Amino acid sequence: MANERQARLGDRIRVLIAERLEKGLRDPRLGFVTITDVRVTGDLQHASVFYTVLGTPEERADTAAALKAATGMLRSEVGKQLSVRLTPSLEFIPDAIPENADHIAHLLREARERDASVAGLAAGAVYAGDADPYVKPREFEDDEEA
């Protein structure tokens, strides 16, 4: 039951923060942010907010600074909207999904290229020994045995 409550609270916090960011903060450093996930601890005291930012590494760093500066205001907004006794503290963590996806795509592309090169080598390959390397039993003629 606690896991279900954690999930519901995390989903609600994700929606509230996303709506607040959609309305806009007055911080010019804030870039195009997407809240991907919120995980709440078992005691409902801490929420880890995972986000992605579209843009350059500099824009990502600026957005991280803007979110860190706005943490208190976002926590108070979340506290006003939630019906819980204690408002969980917020921690903003950059989500590594885009970087992981790019890395996996790169590895798959590299594997495809290696497979193609191996297939090219195999197409022109010939056997190192006889064409039929299997030993065949000798055939005796009836005249030799008699």
Side-chain angles (χ1 to χ4, degrees), residues 14-138:
R14 182 179 53 81
V15 168
L16 292 173
I17 291 175
E19 286 175 353
R20 182 61 182 106
L21 291 176
E22 188 177 322
K23 290 178 187 174
L25 296 175
R26 293 188 181 135
D27 197 334
R29 299 175 294 177
L30 190 67
F32 186 72
V33 180
T34 302
I35 305 297
T36 56
D37 192 19
V38 175
R39 295 187 187 148
V40 182
T41 58
D43 60 358
L44 308 178
Q45 296 296 308
H46 182 76
S48 299
V49 181
F50 294 91
Y51 68 95
T52 59
V53 180
L54 188 63
T56 64
E58 181 181 310
E59 292 171 336
R60 292 177 189 162
D62 289 345
T63 299
L67 287 173
K68 186 173 183 175
T71 300
M73 186 272 300
L74 290 171
R75 182 178 181 211
S76 65
E77 295 250 347
V78 166
K80 289 176 189 174
Q81 301 292 326
L82 292 178
S83 58
V84 293
R85 187 170 59 92
L86 296 172
T87 303
S89 61
L90 301 177
E91 177 186 14
F92 289 93
I93 302 170
D95 205 346
I97 289 175
E99 290 83 12
N100 289 343
D102 288 342
H103 181 66
I104 290 171
H106 173 72
L107 291 176
L108 289 173
R109 188 172 33 267
E110 188 176 305
R112 249 185 264 117
E113 290 170 0
R114 286 183 182 176
D115 286 347
S117 67
V118 168
L121 290 173
V126 294
Y127 291 108
D130 296 331
D132 189 8
Y134 299 107
V135 177
K136 296 192 177 33
R138 291 187 205 162

Side-chain angles (χ1 to χ4, degrees), residues 136-142 144-145:
K136 296 192 177 33
R138 291 187 205 162
E139 296 180 13
F140 294 105
E141 294 181 15
D142 291 334
E144 292 177 2
E145 290 179 12

